[in-house]
Amino acid sequence: MEIVLILFIMGCFLGFVGAGGAGVVIAILTVVFGIPIHVSLGTSLSAMAFTTLSGAYSHYREGNVVLKSGIAVGFFGAFGAFAGSKISAAIPGAQMHLLTGTILYITAVLVYLKVFYPHRGIFSLICPHTLIRGKKFWLMAGIAGIFNGVLSGTFGIGATPFIQLTLMIFFGLSMIEAVGTTMLVILPIAVMGGFGYMTSGLLDFDLFVKVVVGLMAGTYIGAKFTRRANPMLLKIAMVTVPILGGTMLIFG
């Protein structure tokens, strides 16, 4: 019951920032409840399929989802996630703590640069998503999807900050559109990544149910407040999520 309650509270926060939150969930399961990291990776990523379904629907109702970009990136991401899950199984648990935590810190830095310095460097290349069409659109969708899928599958994370960044840079989505569309992108990534972990025997079904119940309820509620929140609060929250997960994994 403790797992359900804690993940419900975390789910409210994750839904608010449009994060699948697998990195934070992995940290909580591993550090707080003592579950082996590979089992935490497989279980939390699998649970994202259900929690992001709830969050994506809520964001769609709020008008935060760009369907074409979300479906295209998610389609390619599914193949990358399955491959990544097989890579993860070959990495020792101790190294996974450090590697996953490091990835989460990197995502925090990238998100910080994007949300607080949106018109500098590569971010100045952003153009309206309505101008990206044809072969260029599908090429970008393939690159973004496979990259984020492999990252998610290997480290068991939803790769939310990376997905949000690629949606904003490659497809010109606004921050709020990227938040909502990311939920849709994570859905197929979580399904195929979770399937890969299941075939490797790294999915705990009892734990899976508890994680799903807690996060689904929380993310649906949290998504209701994204458009109503102060923009600065949203930016701070987007940076805080990966820092929290990374700190717990590395120093927990």
Side-chain angles (χ1 to χ4, degrees), residues 134-152:
K135 293 181 180 179
K136 182 178 180 181
F137 172 85
W138 291 106
L139 176 62
M140 289 183 171
I143 293 173
I146 292 174
F147 170 77
N148 287 305
V150 170
L151 188 66
S152 298

Side-chain angles (χ1 to χ4, degrees), residues 6 88 100 150 243:
I6 291 176
S88 176
T100 304
V150 170
I243 291 177

Side-chain angles (χ1 to χ4, degrees), residues 20-23 26 45 48 148 151-152 155-161 163 182 186 189:
I26 291 166
L45 183 60
M48 290 301 100
N148 287 305
L151 188 66
S152 298
F155 300 104
I157 60 176
T160 297
I163 297 172
T182 291
I186 292 175
I189 286 177

